[in-house]
Amino acid sequence: MFYRTLAYGLLVALLFAPPGGNAGQEEREGEGVYVKERCITPSAHMPIVGFVPPESYEKPCRVPTALDTARSYRGAAERPPGSNSGAVVERFLSSVGLGGGYAWCAAYASHSFQQGPVRPLSEEGQAIRSAGARDYMDAKKTISPRDVAAGRVDVPKGSLVVWGVRGSWTGHIGLVLSDPWTGRCGRTIEGNTSPPEQDS
């Protein structure tokens, strides 16, 4: 009788155990495409360094298409978490000539614009297509975050917002969803970012 009860208990445990044997463990969610509420904070480690408005784009009339593409990937994430890889992420990276394993926020933005097709233009009139977020600050027109925070300028929907680490080439980039971004805070959609609930 004892062995029959033991066997039955083991069978129940096997049938109802969570898949993968991760009982009591929560899988860490990877960096992905998320909508965020962002604010201009000059004292931050990575402050906003500027905005690139649609008037800097080759085809500003196609911005809604680019935003539709960007929003269609909402919730897409790295696989496995923390890898900068996965089928969707590698699709973004391929749009800037890279394979998996690289930071991909700018590749996500570039991919979204290419589906527009919309191209941010440099001061020389050359299309900007880059995996480097701060490269987009070479656009023919940018908006200062100081002017935005002071209420002197609104940021149009579909603009790019660029962050930068002080004294470094590294940065981050997203697309403005607010219509428009007015004052210190606005709404964005970004790739290669943590879910909103994981923000500190």
Side-chain angles (χ1 to χ4, degrees), residues 144-164:
S144 163
R146 290 184 179 180
D147 288 339
V148 177
R152 291 189 288 268
V153 182
D154 291 342
V155 180
K157 183 177 183 178
S159 298
L160 289 167
V161 52
V162 181
W163 291 262

Side-chain angles (χ1 to χ4, degrees), residues 56 120-128 135 137-141:
S56 290
L121 298 177
S122 68
E123 292 181 3
E124 295 76 28
Q126 301 296 314
I128 302 172
D135 289 345
M137 288 303 295
D138 293 334
K140 65 180 183 179
K141 179 174 176 59

Side-chain angles (χ1 to χ4, degrees), residues 9 23 48 57 68 71 82 93 98-99 109-111 114 118 121 124 126 133-134 150 162 172 176 178 180 195-196:
I48 292 173
Y57 303 160
D68 286 345
R71 282 190 288 244
L93 286 165
L98 295 174
S110 181
H111 172 81
Q114 287 177 44
V118 181
L121 298 177
E124 295 76 28
Q126 301 296 314
R134 297 188 70 151
V162 181
H172 183 62
V176 173
S178 296

Side-chain angles (χ1 to χ4, degrees), residues 5-19:
T5 304
L6 179 61
Y8 179 77
L10 288 171
L11 179 62
V12 169
L14 287 170
L15 287 174
F16 292 98

Side-chain angles (χ1 to χ4, degrees), residues 7-196:
Y8 179 77
L10 288 171
L11 179 62
V12 169
L14 287 170
L15 287 174
F16 292 98
N22 290 329
Q25 296 181 6
E26 185 176 331
E27 183 179 344
R28 186 177 76 83
E29 195 163 2
E31 302 281 287
V33 177
Y34 301 106
V35 171
K36 309 290 274 281
E37 296 294 330
R38 295 293 200 176
C39 293
I40 296 169
T41 310
S43 61
H45 168 67
M46 188 185 290
I48 292 173
V49 295
F51 298 87
V52 180
E55 61 193 271
S56 290
Y57 303 160
E58 183 180 22
K59 297 180 179 179
C61 61
R62 301 298 297 274
V63 168
T65 306
L67 282 174
D68 286 345
T69 299
R71 282 190 288 244
S72 73
Y73 289 107
R74 184 176 179 179
E78 299 171 349
R79 295 288 183 269
S83 66
N84 284 336
S85 294
V88 176
V89 170
E90 288 169 29
R91 185 183 310 161
F92 301 150
L93 286 165
S94 69
S95 73
V96 291
L98 295 174
Y102 293 90
W104 51 275
C105 60
Y108 160 72
S110 181
H111 172 81
S112 298
F113 278 112
Q114 287 177 44
Q115 306 311 302
V118 181
R119 303 287 193 281
L121 298 177
S122 68
E123 292 181 3
E124 295 76 28
Q126 301 296 314
I128 302 172
R129 184 175 72 100
S130 175
R134 297 188 70 151
D135 289 345
Y136 290 85
M137 288 303 295
D138 293 334
K140 65 180 183 179
K141 179 174 176 59
T142 59
I143 298 173
S144 163
R146 290 184 179 180
D147 288 339
V148 177
R152 291 189 288 268
V153 182
D154 291 342
V155 180
K157 183 177 183 178
S159 298
L160 289 167
V161 52
V162 181
W163 291 262
V165 175
R166 299 181 190 282
S168 170
W169 59 269
T170 57
H172 183 62
I173 194 168
L175 289 85
V176 173
L177 293 181
S178 296
D179 193 15
W181 177 316
T182 302
R184 287 189 61 251
C185 299
R187 197 161 175 255
T188 64
I189 187 164
E190 306 160 28
N192 207 172
T193 191
S194 59

